[in-house]
Amino acid sequence: MTSELLSVRDLRASWGRVPVLNEVSFDVHRGEFVVLLGPNGSGKTTLLRCLAGLERIDAGSIELDARRVERLPAHRRGIGLVSQEPSLFPHRTVRENIAYGPLVQGTPLSEVGRRVEELMELLDLGRFGERYPTQLSGGEAQRVALARALAPQPKLVLLDEPFASVDPELRAELRAEFRQILSVRKVAALHVTHDREEGLFLGERVFILMDGLLVQSGPPSEVYERPRSPSVARFLGYNVLPGRAGPSAVAPESLRVLPEGSEGVVGIVVASGPVGRLTSIHLRLPDGTRVEARRPRTEGSLRVGMPVALQWEEGIPLGPDVAAPLPSHGARPTPARDRAGSEPPNEGSRSRT
Amino acid sequence: MADDHQRRLRELSRFLPLGPALAFVLLLVLVPVGVLFADSLAASGGVSALLPALADPVNRRAIYNSLEQGGLSALLAGALGYPVGILLGRYRFPGRDGLLAFLLVPFLLPSLVVILGFQELFGPVGWLSSPFPGLAPLGSGLLGVLAVNAYFNAPMVALLTATSIEGTSKEQEEAVAVLGGTPGRAYREVWGPISAVGAGAGMLLTFLLSALGFAAPLIVCGARCYTLEVRVWSLDQVLASPAAAGVLALITVLLLTVPTLVYITLTERAHRRQTRSPRPARPLPWRDPRSWPLIGYGALFFAGVLLLLAAVLERSVVPASGGLSALGWNELFSSGVTGRLGFSTSTALTNTLAFASGASFLAFLVAVVTAYARQRGLARSGWLEYLLFLPLLVSPVLLAFGLATLWRPVIGGASSTWVLILLSQATIAVPFTVQTLRLGLARLSPAPWEAARTLGRSPFGAHLDTELPRIRAGLIGAALFAFAIGLGEFTATYFLFLPPFATLPVELDRLGALRLVPAQEALGALLMLVSLVVFAAIEWGGRRIDL
């Protein structure tokens, strides 16, 4: 048995004539928790829906457990899905929602009952069994949605921003819980989010999708510490500033704000305010570039419109961005420069480099 | 290769749900009407027969009457219904939902009951014409026809206006106000154009239904008001000139194609703009004197609708001669009346219920499968709706005429009559049931259906498990709506019926013709009560019907 559970090759999809995904290739290993990270409109949800069989693909292959599934309808793929809205069946109780998948599969009733009880206990849903979805909070509903997705015992679960509509204080708790449950049950997950903190926190590996193209992948620490291109760096929260050999990524904490007249690049304060224990200062450079600096709150805030000097150490060198917007079918993208050793073979963020 | 073949088969099988709808349109509308036209043209000397038919002064008069009655009725219904639509669409107040639902009642009433009600109000000894003789013209002639048409259709205009504006954005309107715009500007920018789409759709539907009016011009006004619909019936059934009738029916279709297409386009547009769960956001400003005219007019409007119902009910137990009497009710079930009619009231009642049940079952099936096909994107761009709205363009007389021409020889014998009545009633009900279910489904989130698919359920299975249960009330509503249409259907049934298959509306007409007034009044009340029970059942199902 190979370690790859899901193998996607050269996947292309479009909305009418507008290409949404362009030659996307990646693998997910058994039991692995992978995060697909990208800004809104980058094609993340479309990719997930293509994998689930809810959208048609234009080209490419999807192999699940050594079986080609791209032509199979959604109900024959055996892939679980938890979406942003819990999409529970409003006319069925929590218990009936969870039992739905195994019942459709024709699982014996005794086994269905056992699985439902086990999942309700695992997700702390015991007291909600007879409730209807409208009687649940957002977090409870998402727990039920995960239980329902796990009940048919899929090998892979797709999570489409499942915490987006959950209160922020509950979100952290819920994502840790989901991560742990999937790990305990050894179910692989492909989790989609635009929240970089969530993505970097959860993923064993992180894929970055931009404009329908997978532009970088790797362990979260590696992706964060070595962004490949200006757009990835900006998405991860870096400032993109000139370095010795081209653009470089500079973390807001590494940008020093000094009084006007000091050595450095001149900047004008655009906004300033507290973010936790730090002060976030947004500045405009003479060429119009916007940057953010963060410094301890003890250093005080700055008045809007105040000129300052900015200094930074050499940042992380960046390659070029994708040269053109998503090309039409048949054309090749001009990808960001590969970084040697950033990813293992066959786990590439793109099929061609 | 085999894989390709299988995949193609699978692709084609996705479109199977379109089959029943297409078969329905083909077998019950397009082919019968096409055969009728072809036969009529062949018997009249080809397409050139259209010109003499158009030159015939009686036909020209019928065309003029149709356009006149359609146009004036639309204007009248628009003027009467639009303010009520604004009142119910924009403002929230206790009982508002009930009033909105009640707007459907006139539409569900059998046309003959409304005509009877107008006689009770404006006839020789009418409730209103006795104290106010100046109102008597509303009981007969062209004015009477227009008044009957307005009674049916003004509530429908109000309903369509209200449903089109209730989903408009309160925030957008507030933004206009904050930016210095007057209420008039907010009307022009935010909710006026949308309300015009709803009202326009209602007025066009009024135009179509009135231009094809049958019972009102026939009974209330007589020969000088004959519309195309009555003229076609008269040519075929009275003057025994089926070919001439067929040619005139073709002219009717040609004349009304454009307004029908515009109506469907407008309803499409109105539905696209609707939000998933519209609710009027503003409380009714009771205390603001500027709103009093609107509130007062609304009260008058509903009082008028109720007045007719009350008059029909009252006259069934209190004849014009005065005093409480059950004479009409006794007569209705007496052997004397049965003898004069050639059939009994209980037979007519049984037939009515049987036809209405069968028709609603058939219309419901077509609507469910069509709604599924539409929901799954098998029929984009609304072409399926255009096809299923053909019965609206093809009038009841033409439909009955076409069905009889094609299918009576095939089915043969007396049973052809009941089959044809059943099919014609189902065909007439289909556009409305399709519309009702479609709207219910359009407001559903597709997410549970998709979830069921990822959990292993087939597309249609997921539809049954996750979508139909969520619009259960809509399903009941659609079936009952079809039932109500069957219950009151007069035109097609009148065209097709033989005495053993008479229905209550047909009996109501016969009783009037035989001047059995007490029995006619009792039967009118009975039909009205049955319609109100069906309406109550629709409401009990919790579903509002959108036309």
Side-chain angles (χ1 to χ4, degrees), chain A residues 49 52-54 56 71 73-76 79-81 87-92 100-101 104-105 148-149 152, chain B residues 7 10-11 14 445 447-459 461-462 464-467 469-470:
Chain A
R49 291 173 63 81
L54 297 171
R56 286 164 175 245
R71 297 283 166 213
H75 62 285
R76 301 223 177 96
I79 296 176
L81 174 69
S87 68
L88 299 176
F89 307 136
H91 55 294
R92 292 172 190 259
Y100 183 85
V104 167
Q105 285 178 335
R148 187 180 65 177
Chain B
R7 196 160 61 231
R10 224 177 15 240
E11 281 294 300
R14 284 179 62 230
S445 155
W449 180 83
E450 291 178 350
R453 299 276 288 116
T454 63
L455 290 164
R457 199 73 165 109
S458 67
L464 293 178
D465 284 355
T466 67
E467 291 183 327
R470 288 155 70 203

Side-chain angles (χ1 to χ4, degrees), chain A residues 115-126 177 181:
Chain A
R115 283 192 211 172
V116 170
E117 292 309 319
E118 184 192 338
L119 283 164
M120 288 194 8
E121 192 185 327
L122 187 68
L123 282 140
D124 196 19
L125 292 167
E177 191 181 331
I181 287 166

Side-chain angles (χ1 to χ4, degrees), chain B residues 125-322:
Chain B
V125 283
W127 268 24
L128 294 176
S129 55
S130 295
F132 309 108
L135 293 176
L138 290 174
S140 60
L142 178 61
L143 270 182
V145 174
L146 296 181
V148 169
N149 288 342
Y151 185 87
F152 273 120
N153 295 302
M156 185 180 64
V157 171
L159 182 61
L160 287 169
T161 305
T163 50
S164 66
I165 56 178
E166 64 183 358
T168 53
S169 160
K170 182 185 162 205
E171 290 73 21
Q172 275 183 29
E173 214 174 310
E174 286 170 352
V176 172
V178 168
L179 293 166
T182 59
R185 189 163 191 98
Y187 172 82
R188 287 200 305 277
E189 304 271 345
V190 183
W191 63 277
I194 297 172
S195 72
V197 171
M203 288 171 68
L204 266 169
L205 190 55
T206 305
F207 174 82
L208 290 168
L209 295 175
S210 306
L212 295 173
F214 184 78
L218 184 68
I219 297 167
V220 176
C221 186
R224 70 189 166 91
C225 293
Y226 275 14
T227 55
L228 282 162
E229 187 81 335
V230 189
R231 173 72 179 150
V232 169
W233 164 82
S234 159
L235 279 170
D236 182 65
Q237 304 265 307
V238 182
L239 303 172
S241 306
V247 170
L248 191 60
L250 176 57
I251 291 172
T252 309
V253 169
L254 294 175
L255 269 178
L256 298 181
T257 300
V258 171
T260 307
L261 292 179
V262 175
Y263 165 71
I264 298 169
T265 309
L266 278 181
T267 49
E268 276 285 320
R269 196 179 295 176
H271 288 152
R272 266 205 303 274
R273 288 180 178 185
Q274 275 186 349
T275 51
R276 280 187 187 272
S277 49
R279 279 281 171 274
R282 305 151 199 81
L284 183 65
W286 293 101
R287 295 202 172 85
D288 183 353
R290 284 173 301 176
S291 67
W292 290 352
L294 188 63
I295 296 171
Y297 174 72
L300 202 64
F301 183 90
F302 282 102
V305 175
L306 280 172
L307 195 66
L308 183 133
L309 304 182
V312 171
L313 198 59
E314 194 256 7
R315 279 291 157 88
S316 73
V317 286
V318 184
S321 51

Side-chain angles (χ1 to χ4, degrees), chain A residues 109-352:
Chain A
L109 282 179
S110 57
E111 170 63 11
V112 174
R114 191 193 64 72
R115 283 192 211 172
V116 170
E117 292 309 319
E118 184 192 338
L119 283 164
M120 288 194 8
E121 192 185 327
L122 187 68
L123 282 140
D124 196 19
L125 292 167
R127 60 189 186 285
F128 302 124
E130 304 314 315
R131 286 199 195 172
Y132 284 89
T134 49
Q135 298 167 308
L136 302 174
S137 70
E140 289 158 0
Q142 281 300 21
R143 280 202 187 95
V144 178
L146 180 63
R148 187 180 65 177
L150 291 175
Q153 300 187 328
K155 294 193 169 93
L156 174 69
V157 172
L158 308 173
L159 304 167
D160 186 7
E161 309 215 28
F163 315 121
S165 53
V166 177
D167 294 339
E169 64 267 29
L170 189 63
R171 201 175 299 160
E173 182 190 323
L174 209 54
R175 65 192 183 197
E177 191 181 331
F178 269 41
R179 177 81 168 76
Q180 189 212 352
I181 287 166
L182 290 165
S183 164
V184 166
R185 296 183 72 91
K186 296 188 170 51
V187 177
L190 183 57
H191 176 113
V192 152
T193 180
H194 65 273
D195 182 332
R196 60 183 184 241
E197 283 178 21
E198 181 176 299
L200 296 171
F201 170 79
L202 285 174
E204 286 173 60
R205 277 190 304 149
V206 171
F207 298 156
I208 301 210
L209 187 74
M210 292 189 143
D211 290 336
L213 207 61
L214 273 181
V215 291
Q216 190 166 352
S217 71
S221 56
E222 183 190 294
V223 169
Y224 184 73
E225 284 159 20
R226 282 186 280 170
R228 268 187 196 169
S229 62
S231 54
V232 173
R234 278 190 208 98
F235 176 69
L236 292 173
Y238 287 99
N239 298 304
V240 176
L241 293 163
R244 278 188 213 107
S248 67
V250 178
E253 295 78 9
S254 307
L255 197 60
R256 285 194 299 281
V257 181
L258 303 169
E260 189 187 12
S262 309
E263 193 183 337
V265 174
V266 176
I268 303 289
V269 176
V270 176
S272 165
V275 177
R277 293 176 144 190
L278 301 175
T279 298
S280 167
I281 305 159
H282 290 255
L283 304 121
R284 192 176 61 240
L285 304 187
D287 64 356
T289 309
R290 298 258 180 152
V291 294
E292 184 196 5
R294 290 189 177 191
R295 63 184 196 180
R297 284 175 72 176
T298 48
E299 292 182 26
S301 61
L302 296 170
R303 190 168 38 81
V304 172
M306 179 190 275
V308 293
L310 295 171
Q311 287 182 359
W312 61 91
E313 300 296 326
E314 177 64 16
I316 305 159
L318 299 170
D321 259 328
V322 171
L326 195 64
S328 59
H329 292 170
R332 289 282 161 77
T334 309
R337 190 181 64 206
D338 248 346
R339 293 171 66 86
S342 66
E343 60 197 23
N346 294 331
E347 293 177 17
S349 58
R350 301 174 304 278
S351 58
R352 294 173 178 81

Side-chain angles (χ1 to χ4, degrees), chain A residues 43-110:
Chain A
K44 307 183 297 291
T45 295
T46 304
L47 174 54
L48 234 55
R49 291 173 63 81
C50 287
L51 297 179
L54 297 171
E55 298 292 344
R56 286 164 175 245
I57 63 170
D58 296 336
S61 67
I62 303 168
E63 214 169 272
L64 180 74
D65 216 6
R67 184 175 67 124
R68 293 283 289 268
V69 298
E70 71 270 7
R71 297 283 166 213
L72 291 183
H75 62 285
R76 301 223 177 96
R77 293 199 184 185
I79 296 176
L81 174 69
V82 179
S83 47
Q84 185 172 337
E85 295 304 324
S87 68
L88 299 176
F89 307 136
H91 55 294
R92 292 172 190 259
T93 63
V94 165
R95 195 181 296 278
E96 289 166 349
N97 262 281
I98 300 172
Y100 183 85
L103 285 174
V104 167
Q105 285 178 335
T107 311
L109 282 179
S110 57

